[in-house]
Amino acid sequence: MRSFKRALRVTAVTALLCALLSALVFEGYYQTTQYIYMDAGIRRELAGSVDTLFCCSSQGKNALVPAQYDLFTGANSYNLGGAQITMEGRYTLLKQELSRNPVKTVYLELSFESMSRNRRSEGIEGDLYLLARLDNPLQRMAYFLTHFHPGEWRQTFHQTFRLGLLCWQDILTGKLLEPAFAETKGFQPEESVDLTLSRQMLAACHHAETAPAVIRPENLRALEKIVALCREQDVRLVLLTVPISPTLIWKTANLDEIHDQLADFARANDLEYYDFNLYRNGHYAPNLFFVNERHMSQYGAEPFTRNMADLMARVDAGEDVTGLFYPSYAALETDRAGADGLLD
Amino acid sequence: MDILSLSFLAFCALLLVVYFLVPDRRQWVVLLVFSLGFYLLGGWRNGIFLLFTALTTWAAARWIQADADRQQQTLKAGKATLSKEEKSALKARGKARRRRILTAYVLCNIGLLCVFKYVHFALAQADALARLFGGRVNDTIHWIIPLGISFYTFQCVGYVADVYWGRCKAEPGFWRVLLFTSFFPQVTQGPISTWQDLSGQLFAPHRFEYVNYSHGGQRMLWGLFKKVVIADTLAAPLVRGAFAGYRDYAGLSTLVCGFLYSLQIYADFSGYMDIMCGLCRMLGIRLTENFERPYFSKSIAEYWRRWHMSLGAWFKNYVYYPIAMAKWNQKLGKTAKARLGKAFGSYLPATVALVVTWLATGLWHGASWSYIAWGGVNGLFIIFSMWMEGPYAKWKQALHVNESTWLWRAFQVCRTFVLVTFIKVLPEVGTLADGLGFWRQVFAARFWPGTENLVPGATTGHLVLTALAAVLLFVTSLVQRQQPLTHWLARWPRWAHYLAVAVLALVTLYYAGAAAGTGGFLYAQF
């Protein structure tokens, strides 16, 4: 028995030492802002003052500019978007911010992939970023244990340890960086890339792709949790889809099907839903306003955010905005093709 | 089950708990349940063949034993009545009967092994032959070789042969034989234990002891480090690149990668052994050792007594000795002695036995001409050394070589390491021609790498870490010459000991994450 107790004690001490050494390396990463997604410190500083939140994926992170929105509406907003972020991840961040801010409105950005994304096949990337955006080790541990499959633990350890070592290297060589989103409040500005396709290419790729239209149950559950959370906190929740490149709209065959799914969800939950791809006043040319087919550049994001704020002001004023939107992607295509030829 | 996964660690932890919770006399049942579970997780179809081998092993051993016992009783009963001739005739009949059982058993099990392992090779040779006459033999067989069949078949054949020779008694319980066949730490990659060595360990009661737990755990960790960090992360990518594209490598780069392969396979195979021996040690079981610092050997023969020792011992006991001591071989030696001289005659039986043993060893490692050639070259070096013993001694005397100096020993060790590396690489590059081509590349026009890195594609950091790993293996091997690493570590200050173990664990875990989902063990393919 004494032998067994000693074995337990030695194992516990060794495990504790391993945990302490790991934590030392990990915190080198978590306590710095060496990577652009690390905005925990900025959000902590803003705590108590934010009244509008953009709860987004990377598409929303690139498209919604808090500074523009604030200028137009007088609000104090923050963009919570993140690359590869899961719906559960969005819920976690949103819950944290709602608990420490007097939030009145949440804009939940839903891209066409947001409900069909598969965390298991996509891997740990999004959740790794999210861990670095949480406030303290306890939150991180809780999120890790509930959102990472045991099969991913080794890889998670490796990635975090590697980033920790790199950050310690930066700390020791005095190369610490300032947080990236302090001024942009979570928005990620990027340069435009010309995505224009030739007429031949456009002709060849019309409706050649299909977006996954299967709603994954885990995404739906997380979305329902977000809806319930906002109801519970008496926060206005607005669903919106930010613009994707017209070339992608042209290529994708089943956008109406996905749009209808999202609209049905909004209706069923008595929520507002605006798909800005269908907004009549918002045509964003592929050669100017995008970084890639799914993400807007800074030059697209600013006018879009103004458009969005303007529309919300009209909605708030009681105006019926239904007519400002095409009823479907089919109608959009017919109109655009008729007016401009092939998406000029 | 992946040995390098968290599930395997959980499996081991559960085994430890259950093993020490059940009554002592039932501990082996726990091992059997876990072994079967481990094996069947690799595919239930594998289990059919394992069961077949265990069943035939149990039956053959029992049959041989019963026959021998019966004969003994008859001889005892007829001690006074039977004449000397009758006794001899009875013994001869009994021996012939038992030999028939043994032969049938060996044919059955080695036959099964051959069918699975060599069918594609045999069909390929048949196809090559048929093409000479304008025909074709198509290989449409898609069998998967049952996991560990090479290892457990040899172990079982050894057991039945030992019963036949009277070295051990047959085990009456089938389930115990099944555990001997399927014991999970050794079923996939050995060691190939004898019944005498293993049964005493498996079926004896074991109490939990801190020293076993601690030393076993540390040895497991060291094995994981060798496998994950040295073999898989540092050496393997460099070796893979070199084997695939050696034609573009400078001579020095090829040479370095050849040596790195020796490092990789040692870290891989001995790493596995350390993991399994460590686990068994935690359970209180001492597994047969497979390595004794083989790269410090002074000759190829010595190397093979220190590398994969259990396989070497198996071939020595069940192939080499029976052939070397066979009447026909001894007769051949006597005839040669009379006609061709004393020296030739005395070496001939051993040479014949060595040729067969090494060709069989080559064939055991893989069904290809490269492996047969690999075995042949090993045998050739050993036979050459044996025949040259006399002339060597004379030369050394003439040159006043002092064999006790460290310089001479170092020369022998380096020479053996170079030769062993040369032989090891031959079957691994691809075909035999590729293996030879790899070594030819060392003497290519461009020996120095020029402006690129020593190994193309590798960063300086990677090369430095690999060199450090090689130094670490060298230093630990030097320590192991005096004492096990765990004893050495135990003499460190306690805080340093804890720190060393924790750092080793973290480094292993770090690289295990990088290699998630990659890499099996090299020896599993055999």
Side-chain angles (χ1 to χ4, degrees):
Chain A
M1 195 60 189
R2 206 184 317 155
S3 206
F4 186 67
K5 276 184 184 166
R6 190 176 170 200
L8 274 183
R9 197 174 58 235
V10 168
T11 308
V13 171
T14 311
L16 189 68
L17 192 58
C18 285
L20 285 174
L21 287 174
S22 307
L24 182 72
V25 177
F26 290 176
E27 287 307 304
Y29 162 59
Y30 290 131
Q31 296 306 325
T32 57
T33 48
Q34 297 300 89
Y35 298 92
I36 56 169
Y37 48 86
M38 304 177 87
D39 65 345
I42 306 164
R43 287 186 286 113
R44 251 196 319 271
E45 277 175 25
L46 289 173
S49 66
V50 176
D51 55 19
T52 305
L53 287 170
F54 300 113
C55 184
C56 337
S57 66
S58 59
Q59 294 187 23
K61 190 170 187 65
N62 279 45
L64 291 156
V65 190
Q68 291 291 324
Y69 184 84
D70 296 351
L71 204 64
F72 204 87
T73 60
N76 184 17
S77 61
Y78 191 86
N79 188 328
L80 285 176
Q84 298 281 318
I85 195 166
T86 60
M87 201 58 81
E88 265 290 332
R90 293 204 223 180
Y91 169 75
T92 306
L93 282 184
L94 183 63
K95 192 176 173 192
Q96 188 183 31
E97 293 311 318
L98 288 185
S99 70
R100 61 186 181 189
N101 285 295
V103 177
K104 294 191 190 89
T105 310
V106 169
Y107 291 100
L108 182 67
E109 177 267 323
L110 293 175
S111 67
F112 288 115
E113 291 100 357
S114 56
M115 299 305 288
S116 59
R117 287 178 59 182
N118 183 347
R119 160 70 176 76
R120 287 300 296 278
S121 63
E122 281 181 16
I124 60 172
E125 189 182 348
D127 277 336
L128 266 186
Y129 297 147
L130 194 106
L131 283 181
R133 300 179 67 188
L134 295 173
D135 265 345
N136 57 55
L138 283 180
Q139 283 180 1
R140 280 192 281 275
M141 188 52 77
Y143 190 82
F144 172 74
L145 291 174
T146 48
H147 292 83
F148 286 73
H149 185 264
E152 296 167 339
W153 289 0
R154 266 163 48 177
Q155 202 190 347
T156 309
F157 178 86
H158 172 80
Q159 293 288 359
T160 315
F161 206 89
R162 187 178 66 84
L163 291 167
L165 290 176
L166 291 173
C167 286
W168 272 109
Q169 194 180 357
D170 290 340
I171 292 169
L172 296 174
T173 52
K175 290 180 189 161
L176 284 179
L177 302 175
E178 289 300 313
F181 298 136
E183 286 172 17
T184 63
K185 293 166 85 178
F187 163 69
Q188 184 165 339
E190 289 195 67
E191 293 295 317
S192 300
V193 172
D194 188 354
L195 302 172
T196 317
L197 297 177
S198 67
R199 282 181 177 271
Q200 288 93 324
M201 284 170 84
L202 280 169
C205 68
H206 186 227
H207 286 188
E209 294 175 9
T210 313
V214 179
I215 296 178
R216 293 191 64 81
E218 65 271 24
N219 295 332
L220 187 62
R221 270 197 303 275
L223 183 58
E224 285 168 349
K225 274 160 68 178
I226 291 174
V227 174
L229 178 69
C230 290
R231 288 233 166 87
E232 196 182 292
Q233 308 256 343
D234 198 21
V235 171
R236 179 185 179 194
L237 180 64
V238 179
L239 309 187
L240 53 93
T241 299
V242 301
I244 51 176
S245 161
T247 51
L248 186 58
I249 295 174
W250 179 257
K251 284 180 189 173
T252 314
N254 61 335
L255 290 177
D256 272 326
E257 182 188 353
I258 302 169
H259 170 83
D260 290 347
Q261 285 176 349
L262 298 177
D264 286 348
F265 178 84
R267 253 192 308 278
N269 288 277
D270 198 20
L271 296 168
E272 302 162 69
Y273 171 53
Y274 306 104
D275 182 343
F276 282 91
N277 286 310
L278 301 179
Y279 193 48
R280 289 179 191 273
N281 294 335
H283 177 49
Y284 302 96
N287 60 337
L288 280 178
F289 297 121
F290 294 90
V291 182
N292 54 44
E293 286 187 327
R294 284 171 171 74
H295 297 88
M296 296 195 100
S297 68
Q298 184 175 4
Y299 306 102
E302 285 174 358
F304 162 67
T305 309
R306 283 196 297 273
N307 274 342
M308 191 274 276
D310 172 57
L311 180 91
M312 294 316 297
R314 290 181 186 206
V315 171
D316 289 344
E319 188 180 328
D320 180 8
V321 296
T322 319
L324 298 178
F325 289 85
Y326 289 105
S328 66
Y329 281 85
L332 165 81
E333 263 190 29
T334 312
D335 189 44
R336 291 272 159 83
D340 310 318
L342 286 176
L343 293 167
D344 284 336
Chain B
M1 188 184 291
D2 182 5
I3 307 282
L4 308 176
S5 64
L6 285 176
S7 19
F8 180 70
L9 282 186
F11 176 87
C12 294
L14 186 67
L15 169 63
L16 269 177
V17 172
V18 178
Y19 187 77
F20 288 112
L21 277 182
V22 300
D24 293 353
R25 65 181 191 288
R26 289 280 172 256
Q27 283 177 326
W28 71 270
V29 180
V30 174
L31 289 181
L32 177 62
V33 170
F34 275 77
S35 294
L36 291 178
F38 178 89
Y39 195 79
L40 294 177
L41 279 174
W44 64 270
R45 283 188 187 86
N46 288 335
I48 297 171
F49 300 102
L50 181 94
L51 198 66
F52 172 81
T53 301
L55 206 62
T56 51
T57 301
W58 172 74
R62 289 275 286 158
W63 199 357
I64 290 170
Q65 186 71 59
D67 190 79
D69 290 347
R70 234 184 351 260
Q71 180 186 297
Q72 201 64 33
Q73 279 171 356
T74 314
L75 285 171
K76 212 173 172 183
K79 196 174 179 182
T81 53
L82 290 172
S83 68
K84 202 176 174 185
E85 290 74 30
E86 282 172 324
K87 282 179 190 170
S88 297
L90 195 71
K91 278 182 189 171
R93 275 202 304 277
K95 198 173 178 191
R97 219 170 26 243
R98 290 193 293 277
R99 188 181 294 136
R100 278 198 296 275
I101 300 169
L102 177 69
T103 309
Y105 166 79
V106 170
L107 283 177
C108 209
N109 281 279
I110 298 288
L112 191 69
L113 171 67
C114 289
V115 165
F116 274 110
K117 208 165 166 178
Y118 306 112
V119 68
H120 297 293
F121 178 61
L123 286 173
Q125 305 319 306
D127 185 47
L129 200 67
R131 277 166 190 265
L132 291 178
F133 302 100
R136 281 212 70 175
V137 177
N138 290 325
D139 183 355
T140 51
I141 296 169
H142 302 291
W143 292 333
I144 294 171
I145 302 178
L147 187 67
I149 190 170
S150 304
F151 290 94
Y152 68 69
T153 302
F154 270 34
Q155 181 160 300
C156 289
V157 167
Y159 162 60
V160 178
D162 283 348
V163 172
Y164 169 78
W165 282 320
R167 289 178 187 161
C168 66
K169 289 270 183 193
E171 166 59 46
F174 167 70
W175 299 110
R176 288 179 179 239
V177 174
L178 184 59
L179 173 58
F180 174 72
T181 312
S182 65
F183 185 46
F184 78 89
Q186 55 181 96
V187 74
T188 55
Q189 292 179 64
I192 301 165
S193 301
T194 61
W195 175 266
Q196 300 90 303
D197 282 344
L198 194 59
S199 61
Q201 296 288 322
L202 289 181
F203 307 119
H206 296 285
R207 286 281 166 87
F208 182 87
E209 281 179 35
Y210 171 75
V211 71
N212 284 340
Y213 174 81
S214 165
H215 287 191
Q218 287 175 72
R219 188 164 176 189
M220 261 185 105
L221 182 59
W222 176 236
L224 281 166
F225 175 82
K226 282 202 278 188
K227 166 65 183 160
V228 170
V229 181
I230 302 178
D232 283 2
T233 311
L234 297 176
L238 307 182
V239 172
R240 257 199 313 271
F243 283 179
Y246 66 86
R247 287 178 188 85
D248 303 324
Y249 277 43
L252 182 63
S253 308
T254 315
L255 191 63
V256 167
C257 289
F259 289 134
L260 280 178
Y261 177 67
S262 280
L263 179 79
Q264 182 198 352
I265 194 165
Y266 174 67
D268 187 288
F269 193 20
S270 71
Y272 174 85
M273 285 302 148
D274 284 335
I275 295 168
M276 290 312 183
C277 288
L279 172 62
C280 287
R281 178 80 195 271
M282 290 170 103
L283 298 167
I285 295 168
R286 300 278 182 146
L287 211 55
T288 311
E289 292 291 343
N290 242 355
F291 291 94
E292 198 196 327
R293 300 179 302 107
Y295 290 150
F296 284 83
S297 305
K298 295 198 284 286
S299 68
I300 303 239
E302 187 190 344
Y303 166 80
W304 276 106
R305 288 193 295 274
R306 297 167 68 165
W307 172 279
H308 205 174
M309 289 148 69
S310 64
L311 181 75
W314 194 94
F315 271 107
K316 189 174 76 184
N317 290 330
Y318 305 109
V319 179
Y320 175 79
Y321 282 149
I323 294 175
M325 306 311 284
K327 278 181 190 159
W328 60 267
N329 201 10
Q330 291 295 324
K331 207 171 155 188
L332 186 73
K334 275 180 194 159
T335 313
K337 205 182 270 184
R339 295 193 182 166
L340 301 164
K342 197 179 164 190
F344 192 89
S346 58
Y347 283 138
L348 191 63
T351 305
V352 171
L354 280 171
V355 168
V356 176
T357 303
W358 280 103
L359 290 179
T361 308
L363 209 54
W364 180 87
H365 276 84
S368 72
W369 288 112
S370 327
Y371 278 109
I372 295 172
W374 169 89
V377 174
N378 267 300
L380 211 63
F381 274 115
I382 292 170
I383 291 165
F384 184 74
S385 310
M386 185 176 77
W387 283 75
M388 293 300 285
E389 254 173 22
Y392 274 157
K394 281 180 195 161
W395 294 343
K396 278 185 269 189
Q397 207 172 17
L399 295 168
H400 305 291
V401 173
N402 182 358
E403 290 186 55
S404 59
T405 60
W406 72 267
L407 198 65
W408 178 252
R409 286 204 305 271
F411 161 72
Q412 286 178 307
V413 167
C414 292
R415 177 198 60 189
T416 307
F417 181 65
V418 170
L419 286 178
V420 158
T421 301
F422 165 73
I423 301 169
K424 264 179 202 300
V425 166
L426 283 180
E428 302 301 333
V429 186
T431 62
L432 187 59
D434 287 327
L436 291 169
F438 182 88
W439 286 122
R440 259 199 307 275
Q441 189 66 21
V442 174
F443 305 101
R446 190 168 65 97
F447 182 76
W448 299 104
T451 52
E452 78 242 31
N453 224 334
L454 179 61
V455 178
T459 60
T460 307
H462 191 140
L463 290 176
V464 168
L465 283 178
T466 311
L468 284 176
V471 170
L472 183 66
L473 274 189
F474 180 75
V475 171
T476 49
S477 293
L478 285 181
V479 171
Q480 282 171 319
R481 215 167 79 168
Q482 309 291 335
Q483 59 193 320
L485 283 180
T486 42
H487 291 198
W488 179 62
L489 275 173
R491 293 216 307 271
W492 288 25
R494 189 174 289 182
W495 65 267
H497 189 174
Y498 274 120
L499 194 65
V501 170
V503 169
L504 199 69
L506 288 180
V507 172
T508 308
L509 197 56
Y510 173 70
Y511 283 110
T518 63
F521 285 89
L522 290 176
Y523 254 72
Q525 65 181 307
F526 302 130

